[in-house]
Amino acid sequence: MMRVLVKRELGLITQLLAPLNVQSTRYTTKSTSTCDATSSGHSILPASQLKDICMPVSKANVIVPAANVTLPDYNNSWLPSPYDDTGKTISQYKKLSKFRLTSLVVITTMGGYAMAPAAFDPSSFAMCTLGTGLISAAANAINQYHEVPFDSQMSRTKNRLLVTGQVTPLKAVTFAAVSASTGLCMLYFGVNGLTAALGAGNLFLYTSIYTPMKRISIVNTWIGSVVGAIPPLMGWAGCAGTLDSGAMILAGVLFAWQFPHFNALSWNLRPDYSRAGYRMMAVTNPSLCRRTALRYSLAIVGLSAMAPVLDVTNYWFALETLPLNAYFAYLAYKFYKKSDSKSSRSLFRFSLLHLPALMLLFLANKKNWFFNKSVEEETTRDSNVMVLKPSKTATSLGNVLPVAVAEGPR
């Protein structure tokens, strides 16, 4: 009976190991004498090749090669970086800061500054733009520092600087620290405290909440959309010193735009995200991914229609943006219905054109410009001061004009 069972087990092992094409080799065991691996018609593997077969290994049943047999070294899992030429330092730091993404953040900040109902100040505009760009660069560098083990598993990110060893982690962290501190100082001392607070909050949100959340829950997409909606608020606050309903319209458009943009991007990267362990809607809940892209593309249409109602733009804006937003929503609908590589790629590519075009239309149709504001002068002859008061029809833009000027003696 035992002989029959042993033969059956040997037959099963032979069937399992047959595809491996193991050659005849002499092995010894610690509990038996030297034997021929193929003398009985069955193949025997060394223990190093049996590591993935689900069976317990102990000193009694480990098969070791004979002294005269040389096996390849299977312990070499790490190889030197193939990038011997590290390249130029400026080019490295541009990649570390994700220069194209940072440029998009800066553009939306500039749009928020230009749309604010206040006078344009070149110095605060420059400080706000540069400071926001430096904070974005720092956030992207910290993000890459934390995600090296996961970026190495994705085709899209496996050639990043930290993954390939072109930049050391110390250099990346130093670059992030210098960029963040410089950017926050520029915003605080060169613009105002509100803009600096928004920048610091966004830096924390991106590096300490969004980045780890990507491996925990699909809520990371909503948090990432909040991160993308804050830069226009920083621009608005940098110009006007406060936030109002117009700023919320811009932030709402940026928040809604993130979903069709990113969901379309992540759809074709599902194998990469799944392999790296990222919990994205496209991986864990594809139907929600499609619905969300369509839902927020329609929200952009509604937000654009609300802009003239809240005195952010004129009413021509709602008419001019309708074809642009309608086509964006149409591509999102095609992605929702077909959900294939072509529809997702079309939606993603058009999203890169949609946002800059929408921001330009915002600027072209801004309702209240500083130099267009009419002011009714009411003169009060009290000593040598002439008081200027905005007219009754003036909107909040009139509040940025001087309230008093000194009148010289006549």
Side-chain angles (χ1 to χ4, degrees), residues 59-214:
K59 293 183 179 180
N61 60 12
V62 172
I63 303 174
V64 296
N68 60 344
V69 177
T70 302
L71 294 177
D73 184 11
Y74 292 100
N75 295 324
N76 256 343
S77 57
W78 293 96
L79 297 175
S81 171
Y83 295 90
D84 297 327
D85 184 12
T86 57
K88 298 180 179 179
T89 303
I90 296 179
S91 177
Q92 289 179 351
Y93 289 131
K94 284 176 64 178
K95 294 178 180 177
L96 196 61
S97 63
K98 299 182 182 178
F99 184 74
R100 288 184 293 181
L101 178 59
T102 296
S103 299
L104 187 61
V105 170
V106 169
I107 289 173
T108 59
T109 305
M110 295 168 65
Y113 191 101
M115 288 299 298
F120 180 85
D121 180 46
S123 62
S124 67
F125 175 76
M127 297 292 277
C128 184
T129 301
L130 291 175
T132 304
L134 287 172
I135 291 175
S136 175
N140 289 323
I142 296 173
N143 172 264
Q144 292 183 66
Y145 169 78
H146 284 303
E147 295 185 342
V148 169
F150 317 117
D151 285 345
S152 63
Q153 302 176 54
M154 298 176 60
S155 301
R156 187 173 66 98
T157 57
K158 65 182 180 182
N159 292 323
R160 284 181 174 173
L161 298 176
L162 287 168
V163 176
T164 57
Q166 298 178 69
V167 171
T168 63
L170 178 61
K171 285 185 178 180
V173 173
T174 303
F175 169 75
V178 172
S179 298
S181 57
T182 304
L184 289 174
C185 287
M186 292 176 71
L187 293 179
Y188 184 78
F189 295 105
V191 189
N192 55 55
L194 177 58
T195 307
L198 288 171
N202 212 24
L203 177 64
F204 175 80
L205 192 63
Y206 186 78
T207 58
S208 302
I209 298 180
Y210 169 72
T211 297
M213 185 68 71
K214 289 165 67 176

Side-chain angles (χ1 to χ4, degrees), residues 240-317:
T242 186
L243 299 174
D244 56 22
S245 58
M248 296 302 111
I249 286 290
L250 281 179
V253 168
L254 265 294
F255 177 83
W257 177 85
Q258 306 287 333
F259 289 91
H261 168 76
F262 180 74
N263 288 9
L265 169 67
S266 62
W267 189 262
N268 289 331
L269 299 175
R270 286 175 295 170
D272 267 4
Y273 283 124
S274 179
R275 183 164 53 249
Y278 289 124
R279 298 187 65 83
M280 300 297 176
M281 273 191 287
V283 176
T284 62
N285 197 335
S287 61
L288 179 63
C289 176
R290 300 192 302 267
R291 292 197 307 271
T292 306
L294 177 60
R295 184 184 307 150
Y296 282 98
S297 66
L298 295 174
I300 295 176
V301 180
L303 288 168
S304 299
M306 287 293 295
V309 177
L310 297 175
D311 286 336
V312 180
T313 64
N314 56 39
Y315 280 91
W316 285 104
F317 175 78

Side-chain angles (χ1 to χ4, degrees), residues 40-56:
S40 60
H42 303 294
S43 300
I44 303 177
L45 290 177
S48 60
Q49 294 185 17
L50 286 170
K51 60 183 179 180
D52 289 331
I53 298 178
C54 298
M55 60 179 294

Side-chain angles (χ1 to χ4, degrees), residues 219-230:
V219 178
N220 72 81
T221 307
W222 279 265
I223 296 175
S225 297
V226 173
V227 171
I230 290 179

